[in-house]
């Protein structure tokens, strides 16, 4: 017999007013979710009994924002935890034959949120949901996507198998660490980018003599795309990783002297790479250094490092909920991807193209 469970999430159908800055998106995404489109969406989706959105406990606020953009109510669930740590999940409304979207990033605590996601998928499958689309703004284990050392696991592939086996029919991700992770799935995958939101923010700043910087060779394609959007030259920082979460910046490739630099990355974890990259750029004559990243993991000493660094500003998205300590750091700014995710979810449900959202 199970012991009595303790609630960790209270079902709710109301939303709180979000800060206007957190809801800002780039011009491309804004055009997709303009007021006229929003009114049509509310008419078509709010009355659609076969369209439902549910969320786990990992980033409920983001799910609520997505629902606000779509003019629908977040589905009611019961999520509890037994005394021994086991997760109990129950759907509190009918989903038979429905097109269901399940919002759950696998951020810290990664394993707990991943298991929670798998249990929710299983519950939806056994409740006869018509189609289950997992919306995973941040995909944990994405950095373990290959055998870079002897006798190591390819955990990213394992997680893909778990999600598929649990019963997901489709997946929606944002800024995967490596785009080829899509190939680990045997189900349709939509891979979106947060760049429209971030590009829009830095365009509004209108920074002079801007140079976009890739913090490593692996991020060159990401930085090149960003540089094209803001019409700026690009530089690369060559680094050598000596151990897990430990890097040593070597040298800067490109001209950054007397220029404003913008470091573009997908993940900020311990911020070791970020801080060393900032120092390397300033040593090469850069006047100011900004940074942006899609996923603010911010583990370990990251927040303290950022606060004490010479970085002007770090702009991240709300794919991962920002911890209270990080919210108190003035250098860290958050832009919401809820509008972009909402537009993508609508396109998937309506079976229309999502290509326009890449711009």
């Amino acid at each position: 017999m199970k012991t009595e469970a303790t609630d960790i999430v209270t079902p709710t159908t109301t939303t709180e007013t979000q800060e206007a800055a957190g809801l800002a998106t780039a011009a491309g995404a804004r055009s997709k979710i303009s007021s006229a489109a929003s009114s049509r969406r509310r008419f078509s989706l709010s009355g659609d009994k076969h369209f439902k959105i549910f969320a786990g406990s990992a980033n409920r606020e983001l799910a609520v924002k997505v629902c606000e953009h779509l003019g629908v109510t977040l589905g009611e669930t019961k999520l509890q935890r037994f005394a021994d740590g086991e997760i109990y999940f129950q759907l509190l409304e009918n989903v038979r034959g429905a097109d269901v979207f399940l919002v759950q990033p696998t951020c810290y605590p990664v394993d707990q949120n991943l298991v929670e996601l798998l249990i929710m998928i299983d519950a939806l499958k056994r409740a006869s949901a018509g189609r289950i689309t997992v919306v995973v703004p941040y995909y944990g284990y994405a950095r373990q996507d290959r055998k870079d050392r002897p006798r190591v696991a390819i955990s990213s592939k394992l997680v893909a198998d778990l999600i598929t086996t649990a019963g997901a029919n489709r997946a929606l991700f944002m800024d995967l660490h490596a785009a080829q992770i899509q190939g680990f799935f045997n189900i349709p995958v939509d891979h979106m980018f947060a760049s429209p939101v971030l590009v829009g923010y830095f365009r509004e700043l209108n920074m002079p003599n801007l140079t976009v910087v890739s913090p490593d060779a692996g991020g060159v394609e990401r930085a090149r795309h960003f540089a094209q959007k803001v019409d700026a030259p690009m530089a690369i920082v060559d680094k050598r990783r000596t151990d897990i979460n430990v890097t040593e910046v070597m040298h800067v490739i490109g001209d950054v002297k007397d220029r404003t630099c913008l470091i573009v990355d997908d993940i900020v974890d311990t911020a070791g790479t970020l801080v060393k990259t900032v120092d390397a750029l300033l040593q090469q004559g850069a006047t100011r250094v900004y940074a942006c990243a899609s996923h603010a993991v911010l583990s370990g000493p990251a927040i303290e490092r950022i606060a004490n660094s010479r970085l002007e500003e770090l702009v991240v998205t709300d794919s991962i909920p920002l911890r209270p300590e990080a919210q108190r750091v003035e250098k860290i700014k958050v832009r919401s991807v809820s509008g972009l995710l909402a537009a993508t979810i609508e396109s998937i449900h309506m079976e229309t193209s999502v290509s326009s959202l890449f711009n």
Side-chain angles (χ1 to χ4, degrees):
M1 295 292 290
K2 296 287 187 183
T3 57
E4 184 178 354
T6 303
D7 289 342
I8 62 170
V9 175
T10 302
T12 179
T13 58
T14 61
T15 61
E16 298 178 356
T17 303
Q18 307 294 329
E19 294 181 359
L23 295 175
T25 55
R30 280 200 301 266
S31 64
K32 178 69 178 177
I33 56 171
S34 62
S35 57
S38 295
S39 62
R40 290 195 300 270
R41 183 182 297 121
R42 289 191 180 95
F43 175 79
S44 60
L45 295 184
S46 62
D48 189 347
K49 295 182 180 179
H50 290 284
F51 174 79
K52 294 181 181 294
I53 298 180
F54 294 94
S57 61
N59 197 346
R60 196 173 182 87
E61 289 185 8
L62 177 60
V64 169
K65 291 179 184 178
V66 169
C67 289
E68 287 179 343
H69 281 290
L70 294 170
V72 299
T73 302
L74 186 63
E76 292 191 58
T77 61
K78 185 177 184 180
L79 182 60
Q80 298 177 318
R81 193 168 298 281
F82 290 103
D84 62 353
E86 288 185 18
I87 297 170
Y88 172 85
F89 177 79
Q90 180 186 11
L91 296 160
L92 299 182
E93 54 187 82
N94 179 33
V95 296
R96 186 178 297 274
D99 189 11
V100 178
F101 292 83
L102 181 56
V103 182
Q104 176 82 341
T106 51
C107 51
Y108 178 85
V110 179
D111 297 340
Q112 175 179 307
N113 287 328
L114 175 59
V115 173
E116 190 177 296
L117 172 63
L118 298 175
I119 291 175
M120 290 188 291
I121 295 171
D122 187 71
L124 288 165
K125 178 180 66 176
R126 297 180 189 279
S128 301
R131 181 174 67 175
I132 304 169
T133 301
V134 292
V135 181
V136 186
Y138 171 70
Y139 184 73
Y141 289 102
R143 287 171 285 184
Q144 300 182 46
D145 60 343
R146 64 193 185 280
K147 287 191 68 174
D148 56 348
R149 297 181 183 182
R151 299 174 296 280
V152 297
I154 304 180
S155 305
S156 184
K157 166 62 174 169
L158 174 61
V159 171
D161 290 341
L162 290 171
I163 291 174
T164 305
T165 303
N169 304 114
R170 193 180 190 96
L172 169 58
F173 300 114
M174 178 163 287
D175 277 318
L176 289 168
H177 185 64
Q180 59 266 30
I181 290 175
Q182 299 172 78
F184 290 164
F185 289 83
N186 293 322
I187 57 177
V189 172
D190 290 291
H191 183 207
M192 303 306 295
F193 301 95
S195 56
V197 176
L198 299 173
V199 166
Y201 176 81
F202 285 102
R203 275 179 176 166
E204 292 174 1
L205 292 183
N206 195 26
M207 295 184 293
N209 301 321
L210 179 65
T211 295
V212 175
V213 179
S214 172
D216 53 39
V220 169
E221 183 178 352
R222 183 184 306 108
R224 182 186 295 115
H225 174 77
F226 205 102
Q228 290 174 347
K229 294 297 182 182
V230 296
D231 192 23
M234 191 182 76
I236 304 171
V237 175
D238 177 38
K239 72 176 184 181
R240 181 173 300 171
R241 187 173 295 276
T242 57
D243 202 351
I244 297 174
N245 291 333
V246 179
T247 62
E248 180 183 355
V249 172
M250 302 300 289
H251 61 274
V252 179
I253 303 172
D255 183 20
V256 297
K257 185 176 176 58
D258 298 326
R259 299 188 67 84
T260 300
C261 292
L262 171 59
I263 302 169
V264 177
D265 210 348
D266 62 327
I267 299 173
V268 177
D269 190 354
T270 61
T273 297
L274 176 62
V275 171
K276 290 179 180 179
T277 301
V278 171
D279 292 338
L281 292 171
L282 292 172
Q283 288 173 7
Q284 293 296 317
T287 55
R288 294 184 300 170
V289 181
Y290 292 77
C292 66
S294 304
H295 311 298
V297 176
L298 302 181
S299 58
I303 297 173
E304 182 181 356
R305 284 174 173 172
I306 293 169
N308 297 330
S309 72
R310 292 185 287 173
L311 183 68
E312 296 286 335
E313 192 173 88
L314 170 62
V315 183
V316 297
T317 75
D318 56 353
S319 65
I320 297 175
L322 211 59
R323 295 190 319 212
E325 312 92 89
Q327 294 176 10
R328 292 192 289 267
V329 178
E330 294 184 0
K331 290 183 179 180
I332 302 177
K333 310 293 183 183
V334 181
R335 312 304 289 176
S336 181
V337 292
S338 57
L340 192 58
L341 288 175
T344 308
I345 288 172
E346 181 198 26
S347 293
I348 294 172
H349 176 67
M350 303 299 290
E351 303 290 350
T352 60
S353 173
V354 299
S355 300
S356 62
L357 301 178
F358 286 97
N359 298 318

